[in-house]
Amino acid sequence: MQIKPFLFPFIIIVSLTQGCSFSYSSKSSSDSSGSSSKSSGSSSSSTSSESSNDTEKYQQQIISYSSAYLSTADFDRLAFSRGVSEIASANGITNWEDDDATLIAIGRALKKSNITGSAYETYKDQIANSDAARMKSIQKGYEMNKD
């Protein structure tokens, strides 16, 4: 596998932030499980807000990586999947292929990269491995128009 030179800065940034993201993600997981046993509304809403912020930060990492990768001339599904998997893993996500937040972020990246028409449909199909539910999540992100 050949890594594109312009991806090096992104790979370095992701590598440097993996430790911080993992420990923060672990903290967040323990906070979430702890809040489910508490009946206090304020504790639950602050955990929910933290969780929402964590999700948005994670999605931004996926969007940045995906946008950079999708701007390359040749798309290699396996190499792309490995990169997404590393980011997901660093954020405590073990099955990104079925993770709604990940797929939505990929859809957002496709939109941000101005990929349209048949090229968009091809990417969506390849990334989702032709799974209808996955393609629906990617489409949802594409239509969000956040970026």
Side-chain angles (χ1 to χ4, degrees):
M1 176 181 94
Q2 183 179 11
I3 297 176
K4 305 292 182 201
F6 65 86
L7 289 177
F8 283 15
F10 179 75
I11 292 169
I12 291 169
I13 290 169
V14 169
S15 296
L16 292 174
T17 61
Q18 280 182 354
C20 296
S21 295
F22 180 77
S23 63
Y24 189 75
S25 176
S26 295
K27 176 188 176 300
S28 203
S29 294
S30 64
D31 287 352
S32 294
S33 63
S35 71
S36 64
S37 64
K38 295 178 184 176
S39 60
S40 168
S42 63
S43 173
S44 183
S45 68
S46 71
T47 301
S48 174
S49 147
E50 287 175 15
S51 178
S52 176
N53 287 339
D54 288 348
T55 300
E56 185 60 29
K57 287 177 187 175
Y58 167 66
Q59 284 186 318
Q60 286 303 322
Q61 290 175 341
I62 294 295
I63 291 167
S64 295
Y65 169 77
S66 298
S67 295
Y69 194 94
L70 294 168
S71 67
T72 63
D74 52 340
F75 178 76
D76 179 348
R77 183 186 185 286
L78 293 176
F80 176 77
S81 294
R82 278 192 296 272
V84 172
S85 183
E86 288 175 15
I87 296 167
S89 221
N91 284 277
I93 297 168
T94 56
N95 183 15
W96 72 265
E97 294 93 342
D98 291 316
D99 181 65
D100 212 32
T102 306
L103 297 172
I104 287 170
I106 291 170
R108 289 171 61 190
L110 287 162
K111 181 71 169 189
K112 182 179 181 178
S113 300
N114 294 319
I115 296 173
T116 61
S118 62
Y120 165 71
E121 293 299 328
T122 300
Y123 280 124
K124 181 172 74 170
D125 183 61
Q126 286 183 1
I127 293 167
N129 204 23
S130 302
D131 181 276
R134 293 173 183 171
M135 290 192 298
K136 185 176 179 181
S137 292
I138 292 171
Q139 184 69 36
K140 181 179 176 182
Y142 190 84
E143 292 172 353
M144 287 177 84
N145 211 5
K146 279 181 119 175
D147 294 307

